[in-house]
Amino acid sequence: MNHIAIAIDGPSGAGKSTLARMVARHFGYIYVDTGALYRTVGLYVLRRGADTRDPDAVGALLPEIDVEMRYDDEGVQRMYLNGEDVSDLIRTPEVSMAASDVSALPAVRGFLMDTQRNMAKKYDVVMDGRDIGTVVLPDARVKIFLTASARERARRRWRELRDRGVEAEFEDVLRDIELRDRNDSSRDIAPLRPAEDSVMCDTTEHDLEESFELIRSIIGERV
Ligand code: DC
């Protein structure tokens, strides 16, 4: 049986994960956060003290890594690194940067491909990432490219960190976002870009509810 896949791609801080989670709940699909896979690999490489940009060093570590995605009773995705629940540990700015670095390496992208595609084979999914509509699930039923200005995304990320009790300077958050944008968009393999058949959604001027309504109606028309 063919399952329905909704691909939501876009830069960091555009609200992908929050909106994808809301949309998944609304339609009764499984939410798959693919950034968490890259973060988990990034965490392992950091722990081993290797250079996150070095293809040989990172490639040599991949056979040691078992990345697993599990869902708790409330349907929340948890990430396991060699059996350890690292779901919270992968949310630091340091791991964000490491994830961005390792995600530029072809070996890492290949390593995580099956995990992503297998989810879409087994379930109806809302999958968010950078290359879901272009590379991972080119036949996705609906492709949405979600974006917002860098300043607005930094503002949202800064608030989110503050709400979690993480001290951060706004200018540092903005710089990180701009650096990751450059990293994610300029890499040779699977760069961040909208699929030709994606629907562009700019949420700079929209709050969460408005953005959700927009996406819900786009998906509702197609499934
Ligand atoms: O969505 P996120 O911030 O958790 O993603 C972390 C990093 O992983 C991000 O810098 C880009 C990378 N990534 C990717 O290259 N491809 C994906 N499908 C998801 C994330």
Side-chain angles (χ1 to χ4, degrees):
M1 188 186 123
N2 266 348
H3 286 283
I4 293 172
I6 314 288
I8 302 187
D9 290 304
S12 321
K16 291 188 304 293
S17 60
T18 309
L19 287 163
R21 198 174 292 120
M22 289 166 81
V23 164
R25 193 175 310 126
H26 180 83
F27 288 95
Y29 300 167
I30 300 242
Y31 165 54
V32 183
D33 165 12
T34 63
L37 295 167
Y38 293 93
R39 287 170 178 272
T40 303
V41 172
L43 174 66
Y44 187 80
V45 176
L46 284 179
R47 279 181 170 176
R48 291 295 310 268
D51 178 353
T52 48
R53 288 171 168 265
D54 180 340
D56 295 331
V58 175
L61 293 178
L62 292 178
E64 301 172 12
I65 307 179
D66 179 45
V67 179
E68 210 191 327
M69 224 167 2
R70 293 188 210 156
Y71 286 82
D72 70 14
D73 294 342
E74 268 130 48
V76 177
Q77 177 180 320
R78 309 288 304 177
M79 291 310 304
Y80 288 80
L81 171 60
N82 295 333
E84 173 194 356
D85 185 343
V86 293
S87 314
D88 299 324
L89 297 176
I90 57 174
R91 297 295 158 193
T92 65
E94 197 190 8
V95 175
S96 299
M97 221 53 227
S100 183
D101 285 345
V102 298
S103 72
L105 306 176
V108 173
R109 304 204 74 83
F111 177 71
L112 297 174
M113 186 65 81
D114 282 352
T115 308
Q116 300 171 80
R117 288 194 174 147
N118 285 340
M119 288 301 288
K121 270 188 205 146
K122 281 194 218 150
Y123 309 104
D124 292 334
V125 293
V126 177
M127 194 174 282
D128 84 10
R130 304 293 189 288
D131 63 337
I132 308 307
T134 49
V135 179
V136 179
L137 305 175
D139 297 327
R141 178 80 65 92
V142 187
K143 299 179 185 178
I144 289 173
F145 196 84
L146 198 66
T147 187
S149 70
R151 187 156 279 276
E152 173 61 20
R153 288 184 284 123
R155 210 168 55 79
R156 293 175 189 169
R157 184 56 44 101
W158 178 78
R159 279 216 217 108
E160 193 185 304
L161 287 169
R162 191 196 52 192
D163 292 348
R164 292 210 324 256
V166 181
E167 291 277 331
E169 292 292 328
F170 175 77
E171 291 305 325
D172 291 340
V173 177
L174 178 60
R175 207 192 43 232
D176 264 19
I177 289 241
E178 287 173 340
L179 186 61
R180 282 217 282 155
D181 279 0
R182 263 202 306 281
N183 251 356
D184 297 346
S185 310
S186 65
R187 65 186 179 212
D188 293 335
I189 178 165
L192 171 66
R193 62 173 177 79
E196 274 173 20
D197 49 351
S198 65
V199 183
M200 297 293 286
C201 293
D202 186 329
T203 68
T204 308
E205 305 289 336
H206 297 294
D207 66 15
L208 193 60
E209 282 310 315
E210 291 166 347
S211 306
F212 171 68
E213 263 318 305
L214 181 65
I215 295 175
R216 190 196 58 74
S217 69
I218 291 168
I219 297 170
E221 281 167 16
R222 291 165 174 79
V223 297

